[in-house]
Amino acid sequence: HRGLLQERDKRAKWNGIPTLLQKLYESSHPNSDLSHAHTFLKLLLSQLSVEAMSFVTEDRKTAQESTFPNTYTFDLFGGVDLLVEILMRPTLTMQKKKPKMNDDLVKDCLSVLYNCCICTEGVTKSLAARDDFVLFLFTLMTNKKTFLQTATLIEDILGVKKEMIQLEGIPNLSGLVQSFDQQQLANFCRILSVTISEPDVGNDDKHTLLAKNAQQKRNASPSRAEVNQVTLLSIPGFIERLCKLATRKVSEATGANFLQELEDWYTWLDNALVLDALMQMATEEPEQSSTESSDESSLATSPLRHRLPQSMKIVHEIMYKVEVLYVLCVLLMGRQRNQVHKMLAEFRLIPGLNNLFDKLIWRKYTVSNHVVHGQNENCDCSPEISFKIQFLRLLQSFSDHHENKYLLLNSQELNELSAISMKANIPEVEALVNTDRSLVCDGKKGLLTRLLTVMKREPPDSSFRFWQARAVESFLRGATSYADQMFLLKRGLLEHILFCIIDSGCTSRDVLQSYFDLLGELMKFNIDAFKRFNKYVNTPEKFQMFLTQINSSLVDSNMLVRCIVLSLDRFESQTEDVKVVEVLSECCLLSYMARVENRLSFLFRLVNIINVQTLTQENVSCLNTSLVILMLARRKAKLPFYLNALREKEYAEKYPGCLLNNFHNLLRFWQRHYLNKDKDSTCLENSSCIPFSYWKETVSVLLGSDRTSLCAIASYIDEPFMDLDRDLLED
C-alpha cells in the first residue's frame, strides 16, 4: 500500500508527510534506539515549522486552518498521538531502570507539538483534554535543556483547558519548583498565573450581584484556583524567591548564561510588541542626566550594538517581573491574604521595589494611551506598560485595608505621621505604632511619596492615572486617619486632583471615577481639606465645572457625594470649634450640600439610576449612598420629610409608585445581600462611621409593613400602585 499512498500523496499535496509518519512509527517501536526515528522527526519538524513561522508573522486572526496543510495532514494521520506516545513511553514501562530519552529528541517532539498547537486549535484542545499528558509535561521541566519548549507548550495548553488543572496532582511539585533557577522560576510564573486566577474575573464589577450571589450559593467549597493558591504557598521558600526575583536589579540578573537566555529568547518573541520595545529602547536619544544609574547612562552613550543587548536585558527583566508581580498580586487578593502579607513584609518586597522605582519601574515616561484593563485581563500592551500597571495593582492590593500599608513609607515619613497626630492632639493609629521599622522603605523617599511625584507628571487622560489613584486611595481606605490625610494634603494631592477634575480637560470616565473616589477618601471628615478645597475652587465658574463633572455620572462620583454628606453632618455637630464654624460658613461645597433641595436632588437620582436587576459591585454604592442620606435624616427625625419628597417627585413626574417601589425592592435586596453571614459589613461601618446595627435598623424601619408608620416606605405608596414588582425577588 506504500505505492498507493505515494500516488494519493501527489494528488492531495500531502508533501510526503504520511509516508514520513509511517517511517517514524516503524522506527519508534518500544525497543528501538530511536536514532532513526529522530532523523524522520527532524524532516517533519522542518516542514511544520515553516507554517508555524508564517502563522506567527501573519495576523493570527485571519489565519484559517486550511492555510496550514502540512500541520493538518500531520494531525490527520495520527502524528500528534504518536508523538505523545513516544514522549510518555518511559513513564509507562515496567522496567526497574527507566529508559532515558535523548534530550534533543524530546526537544524536537515538543517543538513539533507546539507548532501544531500554534496552527491548529483543535490539537491544543485535544492535548488539553488528556490530564495524564498535561501532568507529565510538568515533569519534563526538571530538565534544563527542554525547559523552555515544555513551558511554552504547557502555557498554550492551559490557555484552552476547560477544567483548571490541580497543581497538587503534579508529581513532586515542591521538588520541581525548588530545582528551578531564578530564570526558570520567572517563566514558571507565566504558567502559574492561569492556575491561580479565578476564570472570567475580568469584568467582576460588571456582573450583576443577583448572578454573583446565586453563583456563590452553588460554589460553597473553595474553588480550584483557591486550592492551587494553598498548594503554592506550602512550597518551602517559594514566596521568598518570588520577592527576590521581583526586587533584583538588572545588573544582578544577568550571569554568564545570558547568551543562552538569548537563544531561548526567540520563544518569547511571538510578541512583536517586545521587539518594538527593544528597538525603541536601543535607539532612544541619549538623555544626559547626572542622576541616571550607571546602567542607564552607559546605555545612552554607548554605540547601538552594545546598547541592544543591554536594553534586551532590561526588557527581559521587566517581562520576568510582570509575571512575578502578577502571581504575588493574585495571592494577596486571595483567602490566604494575611499569610502572604506577613511573608511579603518579612522578605522586604516593598523596600526592594522602592529601590528599583527610579531606575527601572518608572525610569522613563512611557506614553500609555491604551484602554484601562480590568483586574485579570492579560493585556497585550508593551512590557513596560504591563509592568507599570502590574506594579500599581500590587501596591493597591498591598495597602488595601491592611495595617502593613505603613511599610510604603520610610522612617522619616513615619515620624512625620506621628508628629501630625501629636500636633492635632489625637492618638496615633495602632497600625502605625505596630509597624516594624526594620521592614519599612529606606532612601530619601518611601514608595508612596515616589508614586505621588510621578502621578502629578502624568498626562490628563493617561490610564496610568487610574491605577495610580487607585493605589493611593487604597492607602487611605479603611477607618479614616486624619494623619494619613494630612500627610498627603501637605504634598499637594488635593490641588492636583482638583486640577485634574476641573482644569485638565480629562474626559476618561475611569480616570475621573478613580479621582472622585480618592478625593472622597482624602477629604472625609477633614476640615482642613475643605478649607483647601475652597481656596482652590475660588470662582463660581470653577465650582460650576466641579458640579458638572460630579453630575455627569453619579455612578462614578457617588462615593464623593457620600463623603461630603457625612462630613457636613459631623461638622454641624462641632459648632464649639471656631475653625469648623468658619469653614462651614465660607466653603461653597459645604453650603451647597447643606441646602436640603440639593441633597434631595442627589437622593432622587441615586435611587433612579439603579434597580435590582442591574445592581453590580460597581453601582451598588449608589444604593448605600442613598441610605447614608436617609440614615442621617433619620437621626434628625427628618425621615418622613424625605420620603414625602420622594412621593411628591413621583407625582410631579406623573409616575406614582415608581421611585418608591423601586427603592423598596432595592432595600429588600440589600437585606439579603448584606445580612448574609459571609458578607463583610466592616467596610460599610469604617467608611461611614455609622454602626452597622444602625444601617440594619434603618432598612427594617423603611421596609416596615405598618402603613400608619411615617418612616415606612409603604405608607407613601397609594394602594393601587403598591409593589408592582413583588415577584422579582421571589426565588
Side-chain angles (χ1 to χ4, degrees):
H1 61 279
R2 190 163 276 180
L4 182 68
L5 193 58
Q6 285 168 341
E7 183 51 43
R8 181 82 184 82
D9 193 302
K10 284 198 191 85
R11 275 185 302 177
K13 296 197 172 63
W14 283 336
N15 296 332
I17 287 178
T19 314
L20 273 171
L21 267 172
Q22 194 170 20
K23 290 177 178 167
L24 177 63
Y25 176 70
E26 286 162 1
S27 60
S28 66
H29 58 82
N31 298 324
S32 60
D33 71 346
L34 295 176
S35 53
H36 288 305
H38 198 175
T39 316
F40 300 129
L41 184 66
K42 282 188 168 132
L43 290 168
L44 285 163
L45 178 59
S46 60
Q47 284 182 295
L48 298 177
S49 57
V50 174
E51 291 188 347
M53 277 314 291
S54 73
F55 182 68
V56 169
T57 45
E58 313 259 305
D59 182 11
R60 295 186 172 200
K61 316 257 181 319
T62 56
Q64 287 305 309
E65 310 234 323
S66 58
T67 48
F68 302 110
N70 292 352
T71 307
Y72 176 73
T73 311
F74 179 80
D75 185 34
L76 182 69
F77 283 88
V80 172
D81 294 331
L82 177 59
L83 288 189
V84 169
E85 198 266 319
I86 291 176
L87 277 170
M88 290 188 71
R89 191 177 290 160
T91 63
L92 303 174
T93 163
M94 303 307 283
Q95 299 160 4
K96 283 273 185 290
K97 185 176 184 308
K98 300 278 184 210
K100 177 133 175 46
M101 267 172 81
N102 171 323
D103 288 340
D104 290 325
L105 176 61
V106 174
K107 216 175 195 173
D108 288 342
C109 284
L110 292 169
S111 297
V112 172
L113 287 176
Y114 181 58
N115 288 341
C116 293
C117 287
I118 286 181
C119 299
T120 324
E121 197 182 0
V123 172
T124 327
K125 286 190 169 143
S126 67
L127 289 176
R130 295 192 53 172
D131 284 344
D132 58 339
F133 179 64
V134 177
L135 293 174
F136 162 75
L137 278 178
F138 278 94
T139 63
L140 290 183
M141 292 178 106
T142 47
N143 185 342
K144 260 207 136 97
K145 290 192 180 128
T146 55
F147 176 87
L148 254 140
Q149 279 73 11
T150 315
T152 327
L153 183 59
I154 293 177
E155 193 184 342
D156 254 38
I157 290 176
L158 293 186
V160 300
K161 197 163 166 47
K162 282 203 171 69
E163 279 275 276
M164 185 180 286
I165 136 171
Q166 292 287 234
L167 291 176
E168 57 193 2
I170 297 169
N172 189 14
L173 175 69
S174 187
L176 177 68
V177 172
Q178 286 169 306
S179 74
F180 291 155
D181 62 22
Q182 288 293 73
Q183 180 203 349
Q184 291 174 315
L185 188 61
N187 277 315
F188 189 58
C189 283
R190 276 178 78 118
I191 294 171
L192 288 180
S193 58
V194 192
T195 67
I196 56 174
S197 317
E198 297 294 350
D200 187 31
V201 201
N203 288 338
D204 204 30
D205 287 353
K206 308 287 183 280
H207 290 305
T208 69
L209 293 180
L210 277 177
K212 280 175 76 172
N213 287 353
Q215 180 76 25
Q216 269 167 352
K217 265 190 195 150
R218 286 197 298 272
N219 313 343
S221 56
S223 68
R224 290 196 150 201
E226 287 172 332
V227 174
N228 283 341
Q229 292 176 18
V230 176
T231 305
L232 279 183
L233 287 171
S234 66
I235 297 176
F238 178 68
I239 296 288
E240 182 172 9
R241 287 184 67 191
L242 288 194
C243 289
K244 284 206 171 95
L245 256 174
T247 57
R248 71 178 180 181
K249 299 187 173 71
V250 176
S251 52
E252 298 165 359
T254 49
N257 64 348
F258 188 60
L259 283 171
Q260 170 61 44
E261 289 191 28
L262 287 188
E263 279 179 33
D264 300 333
W265 181 242
Y266 78 92
T267 50
W268 288 71
L269 289 190
D270 55 346
N271 187 338
L273 287 158
V274 178
L275 271 175
D276 295 347
L278 282 175
M279 290 315 297
Q280 188 193 346
M281 284 171 75
T283 51
E284 260 160 18
E285 289 305 305
E287 297 169 30
Q288 289 307 332
S289 143
S290 55
T291 57
E292 277 180 305
S293 70
S294 57
D295 274 350
E296 301 293 313
S297 46
S298 61
L299 179 58
T301 52
S302 56
L304 180 61
R305 64 197 154 82
H306 295 313
R307 270 189 265 163
L308 191 61
Q310 176 59 27
S311 54
M312 263 195 153
K313 288 178 187 177
I314 292 173
V315 170
H316 218 159
E317 190 58 23
I318 283 176
M319 289 174 75
Y320 285 158
K321 286 180 167 26
V322 170
E323 304 300 338
V324 173
L325 292 184
Y326 180 83
V327 169
L328 290 176
C329 214
V330 174
L331 293 173
L332 260 182
M333 289 151 67
R335 288 196 184 186
Q336 268 54 47
R337 180 167 190 215
N338 288 333
Q339 183 193 351
V340 177
H341 243 295
K342 242 187 153 121
M343 293 170 150
L344 297 187
E346 183 189 338
F347 302 131
R348 300 180 55 81
L349 175 70
I350 296 299
L353 289 174
N354 189 40
N355 293 334
L356 287 179
F357 190 85
D358 293 337
K359 292 180 184 151
L360 191 69
I361 303 176
W362 233 275
R363 45 187 211 91
K364 65 177 187 346
Y365 290 92
T366 325
V367 179
S368 94
N369 44 10
H370 71 288
V371 197
V372 172
H373 289 286
Q375 288 287 30
N376 265 14
E377 287 168 52
N378 293 325
C379 78
D380 54 356
C381 19
S382 76
E384 299 251 354
I385 291 177
S386 315
F387 184 40
K388 287 180 172 168
I389 291 178
Q390 218 38 69
F391 163 75
L392 293 168
R393 282 190 48 210
L394 181 88
L395 288 195
Q396 178 190 352
S397 30
F398 186 82
S399 49
D400 192 15
H401 289 97
H402 202 282
E403 47 200 44
N404 275 358
K405 66 181 188 178
Y406 290 111
L407 299 179
L408 295 176
L409 308 183
N410 67 18
S411 283
Q412 290 144 300
E413 292 166 343
L414 290 172
N415 293 341
E416 186 184 331
L417 281 181
S418 311
I420 293 171
S421 302
M422 238 172 91
K423 188 179 169 196
N425 209 2
I426 49 178
E428 277 184 75
V429 186
E430 199 179 330
L432 177 60
V433 180
N434 295 341
T435 298
D436 178 346
R437 296 288 179 120
S438 68
L439 301 176
V440 302
C441 291
D442 32 29
K444 290 196 179 70
K445 285 177 163 182
L447 209 40
L448 182 67
T449 24
R450 285 185 199 278
L451 178 58
L452 287 181
T453 312
V454 295
M455 184 173 169
K456 291 182 187 168
R457 294 188 205 150
E458 214 54 60
D461 274 331
S462 153
S463 65
F464 288 139
R465 280 196 169 199
F466 166 81
W467 294 107
Q468 289 163 336
R470 281 275 173 266
V472 179
E473 183 217 344
S474 78
F475 177 79
L476 286 171
R477 278 169 79 173
T480 307
S481 152
Y482 174 79
D484 292 357
Q485 290 173 325
M486 290 311 294
F487 180 84
L488 294 169
L489 285 170
K490 281 177 158 182
R491 283 160 179 75
L493 181 60
L494 182 100
E495 291 74 13
H496 164 69
I497 298 172
L498 291 173
F499 173 80
C500 179
I501 294 173
I502 299 172
D503 304 306
S504 75
C506 172
T507 52
S508 153
R509 288 256 56 95
D510 286 307
V511 172
L512 282 170
Q513 180 182 19
S514 63
Y515 268 59
F516 284 137
D517 288 349
L518 175 55
L519 186 61
E521 290 295 339
L522 186 62
M523 294 182 70
K524 192 191 297 167
F525 304 134
N526 190 314
I527 197 74
D528 300 86
F530 281 87
K531 195 170 181 167
R532 276 178 177 249
F533 176 95
N534 216 40
K535 201 170 169 180
Y536 186 91
V537 184
N538 51 8
T539 66
E541 293 72 32
K542 272 189 174 178
F543 187 57
Q544 203 40 60
M545 182 62 199
F546 180 73
L547 287 179
T548 305
Q549 288 280 49
I550 283 188
N551 289 326
S552 64
S553 169
L554 274 182
V555 171
D556 298 329
S557 62
N558 78 84
M559 296 296 282
L560 175 60
V561 171
R562 190 190 307 182
C563 135
I564 303 165
V565 171
L566 283 163
S567 302
L568 173 70
D569 183 73
R570 177 174 294 187
F571 297 153
E572 286 176 339
S573 67
Q574 297 173 330
T575 42
E576 68 291 339
D577 186 324
V578 183
K579 184 167 160 192
V580 173
V581 172
E582 178 194 354
V583 176
L584 264 177
S585 63
E586 287 174 4
C587 177
C588 53
L589 186 56
L590 290 170
S591 321
Y592 181 83
M593 204 52 92
R595 290 202 284 282
V596 71
E597 65 272 19
N598 293 331
R599 285 205 298 283
L600 282 171
S601 156
F602 279 123
L603 181 64
F604 297 152
R605 283 176 296 155
L606 287 166
V607 174
N608 215 3
I609 51 184
I610 44 175
N611 62 51
V612 174
Q613 268 61 42
T614 57
L615 273 186
T616 64
Q617 202 56 55
E618 194 178 27
N619 63 23
V620 70
S621 55
C622 294
L623 174 55
N624 287 324
T625 299
S626 60
L627 258 177
V628 165
I629 294 175
L630 291 174
M631 284 190 291
L632 298 178
R634 179 174 165 232
R635 275 186 181 168
K636 297 184 169 168
K638 289 268 171 55
L639 201 48
F641 173 78
Y642 279 73
L643 293 174
N644 195 48
L646 280 168
R647 174 189 155 90
E648 283 175 8
K649 175 81 174 163
E650 288 178 336
Y651 274 90
E653 305 275 327
K654 308 271 186 295
Y655 205 161
C658 161
L659 273 173
L660 288 167
N661 273 318
N662 184 40
F663 193 44
H664 198 270
N665 281 327
L666 283 165
L667 291 178
R668 276 160 58 205
F669 174 82
W670 187 95
Q671 278 186 327
R672 290 177 52 168
H673 185 68
Y674 283 103
L675 305 185
N676 182 343
K677 60 181 181 313
D678 305 334
K679 272 289 167 288
D680 187 13
S681 53
T682 48
C683 282
L684 288 179
E685 264 191 354
N686 280 341
S687 70
S688 62
C689 288
I690 297 173
F692 190 62
S693 53
Y694 196 75
W695 286 79
K696 287 193 293 197
E697 214 177 277
T698 306
V699 171
S700 63
V701 165
L702 286 165
L703 289 178
S705 51
D706 176 6
R707 297 198 51 157
T708 58
S709 153
L710 290 178
C711 292
I713 293 174
S715 317
Y716 296 84
I717 307 175
D718 294 338
E719 195 65 66
F721 307 115
M722 189 67 193
D723 213 4
L724 307 172
D725 292 337
R726 171 154 307 173
D727 50 351
L728 275 184
L729 278 173
E730 310 310 335
D731 282 335

